[in-house]
C-alpha cells in the first residue's frame, strides 16, 4: 500500500514467497541515495557517491567552497 500524501509504503511479501526481501532493501537504498543526491544538488552542493564492499553507499556532500 502506498500513501501518496506521506510517501509511506507498506508491503507484505508473504514470508519471502513473493521474492527475496534483500531486493526490496536494495531498491529502497537506491531510492534514498538518489533522493539525497537530488536534494543536495538542489541546494547547490556537490555530491559524490562511492559504493562500498559491503553493499552500502557512501555519499559525500561538499558544502561551501
Amino acid at each position: 500500500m502506498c500513501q501518496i500524501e506521506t510517501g509511506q509504503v507498506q508491503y507484505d511479501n508473504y514470508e519471502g514467497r513473493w521474492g527475496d526481501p534483500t531486493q526490496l532493501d536494495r531498491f529502497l537504498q537506491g531510492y534514498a541515495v538518489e533522493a539525497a543526491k537530488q536534494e543536495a544538488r538542489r541546494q547547490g552542493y556537490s555530491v559524490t557517491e562511492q559504493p562500498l564492499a559491503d553493499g552500502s553507499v557512501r555519499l559525500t556532500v561538499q558544502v561551501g567552497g
Side-chain angles (χ1 to χ4, degrees):
M1 173 175 31
C2 298
Q3 295 293 329
I4 296 173
E5 300 82 18
T6 64
Q8 183 180 20
V9 177
Q10 296 175 331
Y11 76 99
D12 184 352
N13 75 343
Y14 292 93
E15 297 178 359
R17 285 178 264 176
W18 281 15
D20 185 354
T22 58
Q23 296 301 322
L24 177 61
D25 294 341
R26 290 178 61 201
F27 170 77
L28 294 173
Q29 175 182 320
Y31 179 85
V33 165
E34 292 305 316
K37 287 173 18 181
Q38 182 179 22
E39 181 61 21
R41 288 182 178 136
R42 187 184 70 76
Q43 294 185 31
Y45 303 136
S46 173
V47 182
T48 57
E49 178 180 347
Q50 177 186 9
L52 302 177
D54 66 358
S56 63
V57 176
R58 174 179 290 143
L59 289 182
T60 304
V61 179
Q62 184 172 357
V63 292

